[in-house]
Amino acid sequence: MSRWAMVKKSARNPRREGSLSRERIVEASIALLDDGGEDGLTFRALSERLATGAGAIYWHVPNKGELLTAACDAIIARTMNAVAAGASPETTLRDVALGLFDAIDAHPWVGSALMRSPGQLPMVRIIERIGQQVRRLGVQEKAQWAAVGTLLNYILGVGGQNAANGQLARAQEIDRSDFLGSVATAWSALDPGDYPFTRSLADKLRSHDDREDFLAGLDLILSGIRNALPD
Amino acid sequence: MSRWAMVKKSARNPRREGSLSRERIVEASIALLDDGGEDGLTFRALSERLATGAGAIYWHVPNKGELLTAACDAIIARTMNAVAAGASPETTLRDVALGLFDAIDAHPWVGSALMRSPGQLPMVRIIERIGQQVRRLGVQEKAQWAAVGTLLNYILGVGGQNAANGQLARAQEIDRSDFLGSVATAWSALDPGDYPFTRSLADKLRSHDDREDFLAGLDLILSGIRNALPD
DNA sequence: ACCTGAACACCGTTCAAGT
DNA sequence: ACCTGAACACCGTTCAAGT
């Protein structure tokens, strides 16, 4: 017997290649969510993909909700780490927001996972990033929470809507822009007496650019924050 | 046989008292959602409450998603109709927003139902109300969508968070403020090097007033909109 | 310590059959 | 036209039993 074969598996060593771990489960969950949408993640699909039983997954993860939050957190952590440091507070704030927008665009399920886990780690990462820039901006102590909360809730609102649009489009087996087109058509058919404003928006809805609109709203809020700055 | 007994049930007449209708189903759904939260609504609970079979409900309603949207719409319609007319655009806008906040506070499931049905009737009612006031405010045509979208997404974000807080609190069988307290405690335990801002917010979270914070954010956005007004 | 997989208690939705 | 309720194809979660 060679000395290699005699090396004991230390408790500290990485597990054997095929074995389960929280990370492997989270990684597989992300893959499932990315190509099956919000309800692509089931313990049955997961145990098949990981070639194991449902019970094994429960040994590493307490329940489906926490698994979804963990998957969401993996995406958010990457996204926040990718934001360049050193730029002006306003630029950084815009980078954080656009990073989140793009992440949710690429993984629509992140939008609803984020919505459903208030105060949890993914949200904390975002609050921290935004909060530090709001401080650098010179917002007074007691106005900081309002500023951060407003930015956060706006970003969550947009993210949630993007997630919902993606989910509904998927259910009808069309793509997101076709779904928005069908909404636009419905809006055009609204009673002109009751819904003049919404009707007038139908064309806008067909031709708009989500990302640009998102930025416009962000700038509106930033201008409100700047407005309230001391001196 | 009296003449009364001979009166035929005309097709136009209201149905017999106990019979099913879309409205009765929606009304029962609201009751179920109000006291069981987001997953209090099931076809089994509904058919028991209405003393009928699941299939009967499907004759009046296409699926669960549309039933949820219809229940949400009933609440939103009442809420929008309750907003007083005739006040200044800013006051009306605040009334609309506060009305929605209070409605979601009273029926947390409305927050997530709203999030999950973009472009549908409940949302259209809100967009129309907000849009008309934004017009009256004098916002330029091409800036109107950004203004409405920003307000809408902010309101949806807050509503969605309130719904999620309520849902998580319910799952742990505690009330919402106890849930926020537990989040605050978790925030206090965060690494001071990594999360200085979030940590500093923990106390604020314990003592804050959701409704006041909501209004503060709304005013921030309104000030941004005012900023961009022509002349 | 970690994994298996059958079993439990649910879901939403469909559909043959009734009135 | 409207309703019944059993049946279908799923879920998340648990748990005795294995290694």
Side-chain angles (χ1 to χ4, degrees):
Chain A
M1 194 186 248
S2 80
R3 297 187 63 196
W4 280 113
M6 281 160 48
V7 173
K8 280 193 309 190
K9 199 180 88 182
S10 147
R12 230 180 258 174
N13 276 352
R15 312 183 184 295
R16 68 183 157 85
E17 187 151 9
S19 96
L20 234 40
S21 67
R22 202 175 196 270
E23 301 91 73
R24 284 197 60 215
I25 294 170
V26 167
E27 183 195 332
S29 300
I30 292 174
L32 246 21
L33 288 159
D34 278 346
D35 64 55
E38 292 179 43
D39 32 46
L41 179 64
T42 70
F43 278 82
R44 277 161 182 82
L46 203 48
S47 40
E48 189 178 6
R49 185 177 245 272
L50 293 167
T52 183
I57 296 167
Y58 275 93
W59 201 92
H60 296 273
V61 146
N63 56 52
K64 188 179 177 176
E66 298 220 4
L67 179 52
L68 189 59
T69 300
C72 174
D73 193 51
I75 305 284
I76 296 297
R78 285 174 216 165
T79 306
M80 294 295 95
N81 290 337
V83 174
S88 76
E90 299 224 14
T91 303
T92 309
L93 236 20
R94 242 184 294 265
D95 285 352
V96 168
L98 275 180
L100 285 168
F101 181 90
D102 291 337
I104 294 173
D105 201 53
H107 313 275
W109 54 271
V110 169
S112 49
L114 217 41
M115 275 313 301
R116 257 177 275 161
S117 52
Q120 301 308 108
L121 193 46
M123 198 89 97
V124 166
R125 293 185 202 276
I126 298 172
I127 290 174
E128 187 64 34
R129 282 285 182 158
I130 293 180
Q132 288 180 5
Q133 303 313 314
V134 164
R135 267 189 182 161
R136 280 180 64 203
L137 218 48
V139 173
Q140 286 153 304
E141 180 93 28
K142 42 179 245 179
Q144 287 174 5
W145 174 232
V148 173
T150 310
L151 287 166
L152 185 65
N153 280 306
Y154 172 68
I155 294 170
L156 288 175
V158 173
Q161 287 304 101
N162 281 351
N165 284 328
Q167 172 79 354
L168 290 181
R170 180 185 294 273
Q172 299 177 226
E173 290 179 328
I174 56 183
D175 68 20
R176 230 187 40 162
S177 77
D178 286 343
F179 173 73
L180 289 179
S182 78
V183 170
T185 303
W187 284 11
S188 310
L190 251 24
D191 183 310
D194 291 342
Y195 300 103
F197 182 81
T198 311
R199 265 179 69 102
S200 76
L201 240 49
D203 283 337
K204 181 97 192 170
L205 183 63
R206 233 183 291 266
S207 65
H208 79 149
D209 176 337
D210 271 345
R211 203 167 186 270
E212 250 172 45
D213 292 348
F214 173 68
L215 259 185
L218 189 68
D219 284 334
L220 211 54
I221 297 176
L222 287 177
S223 109
I225 292 177
R226 230 181 284 116
N227 248 4
L229 245 34
D231 89 32
Chain B
M1 193 183 249
S2 80
R3 296 188 63 199
W4 279 111
M6 284 161 49
V7 172
K8 277 195 309 188
K9 197 180 85 180
S10 147
R12 228 180 260 177
N13 275 353
R15 311 183 185 295
R16 70 184 154 85
E17 186 151 9
S19 95
L20 234 39
S21 67
R22 205 178 136 91
E23 300 93 75
R24 283 198 60 216
I25 294 171
V26 167
E27 182 195 335
S29 300
I30 291 173
L32 246 21
L33 287 159
D34 278 346
D35 64 56
E38 292 179 43
D39 33 45
L41 178 64
T42 70
F43 279 82
R44 277 162 182 81
L46 203 48
S47 41
E48 189 179 5
R49 187 178 245 271
L50 293 167
T52 182
I57 297 167
Y58 276 91
W59 201 91
H60 296 273
V61 146
N63 55 51
K64 190 179 176 176
E66 298 221 4
L67 179 52
L68 188 59
T69 300
C72 173
D73 193 51
I75 305 285
I76 297 298
R78 283 175 218 164
T79 306
M80 293 297 95
N81 290 337
V83 174
S88 76
E90 299 225 14
T91 302
T92 309
L93 236 20
R94 242 184 292 266
D95 286 351
V96 168
L98 274 180
L100 285 168
F101 181 91
D102 291 338
I104 294 173
D105 200 53
H107 313 276
W109 54 272
V110 169
S112 50
L114 218 41
M115 273 314 303
R116 257 176 276 162
S117 51
Q120 303 307 108
L121 192 46
M123 199 90 96
V124 166
R125 292 186 201 275
I126 298 172
I127 290 173
E128 187 64 33
R129 281 286 181 156
I130 293 180
Q132 288 180 6
Q133 303 311 315
V134 164
R135 267 187 180 162
R136 281 181 62 203
L137 218 48
V139 174
Q140 285 152 306
E141 179 94 27
K142 44 179 243 177
Q144 287 174 5
W145 174 231
V148 173
T150 308
L151 287 165
L152 184 66
N153 280 306
Y154 171 69
I155 294 169
L156 288 175
V158 174
Q161 287 304 102
N162 280 351
N165 283 328
Q167 173 79 355
L168 289 181
R170 181 186 293 273
Q172 300 177 225
E173 290 179 327
I174 56 185
D175 68 22
R176 229 188 39 164
S177 77
D178 286 343
F179 173 73
L180 290 179
S182 78
V183 170
T185 302
W187 285 11
S188 311
L190 250 26
D191 183 309
D194 292 342
Y195 300 102
F197 182 80
T198 311
R199 264 178 70 101
S200 77
L201 240 49
D203 282 339
K204 182 97 191 172
L205 183 62
R206 231 182 290 267
S207 65
H208 79 150
D209 176 337
D210 271 346
R211 202 168 185 269
E212 250 172 43
D213 292 348
F214 173 69
L215 259 185
L218 189 68
D219 284 335
L220 212 54
I221 298 176
L222 287 176
S223 108
I225 292 176
R226 232 181 284 116
N227 249 3
L229 245 35
D231 86 32

